[in-house]
Amino acid sequence: MNDRTPMLAQPMRPPSAGRAAAYVGFCLLGAVIGAAGALVQPAWFPGGLLLALAGEAGLVLGAARVTRGRAGGVAAAAGWMLAVVLLTASRPEGDFLFAAGGGSYLFLLGGIAVAVICATLGPGRQPDGDPVRLGK
């Protein structure tokens, strides 16, 4: 393959084993952060909500930076979303984790917005190689 071929013109390769393990790890960590945020946000309402959303934002941005691509942030956000959606479902016994208050809705909708924003702000994939200027 030619070194001057644009990155988008190259065929896609599956991620390496280490990168795939990092994605799975960030997905699991996102689920842990989602469960912890679901427990913290109603305990100390204004501060707990901000703490839960800040923890999610830090995880998603950090995962994107560690993997040097948006896929890490998306994996962490997917884990958070999966955990929170599973925790919103009521059990056959009638128990549920989220109350019908405004704080729970702010956590759910704010968390989705934070996940999308932070995953989008993550660095895009860049080709490996020396940075060059056009026309050189």
Side-chain angles (χ1 to χ4, degrees):
M1 186 150 299
N2 187 0
D3 288 338
R4 307 290 281 169
T5 305
M7 190 167 134
L8 294 176
Q10 297 176 0
M12 292 185 65
R13 298 183 310 254
S16 65
R19 187 172 288 271
Y23 293 153
V24 170
F26 283 128
C27 187
L28 292 174
L29 194 56
V32 169
I33 294 291
L39 296 173
V40 166
Q41 65 89 16
W44 309 302
F45 172 60
L49 176 65
L50 293 175
L51 180 66
L53 293 178
E56 179 198 4
L59 172 67
V60 174
L61 277 175
R65 293 213 188 265
V66 166
T67 58
R68 291 184 295 149
R70 291 186 183 112
V74 169
W80 183 91
M81 189 90 58
L82 181 67
V84 170
V85 166
L86 288 176
L87 290 173
T88 58
S90 63
R91 296 178 34 196
E93 296 86 18
D95 298 338
F96 56 90
L97 190 61
F98 288 100
S104 296
Y105 291 120
L106 282 174
F107 176 67
L108 293 171
L109 297 176
I112 291 169
V114 164
V116 169
I117 290 168
C118 291
T120 304
L121 287 177
R125 252 181 75 206
Q126 295 294 322
D128 295 333
D130 296 332
V132 296
R133 290 181 18 202
L134 295 175
K136 239 185 158 177

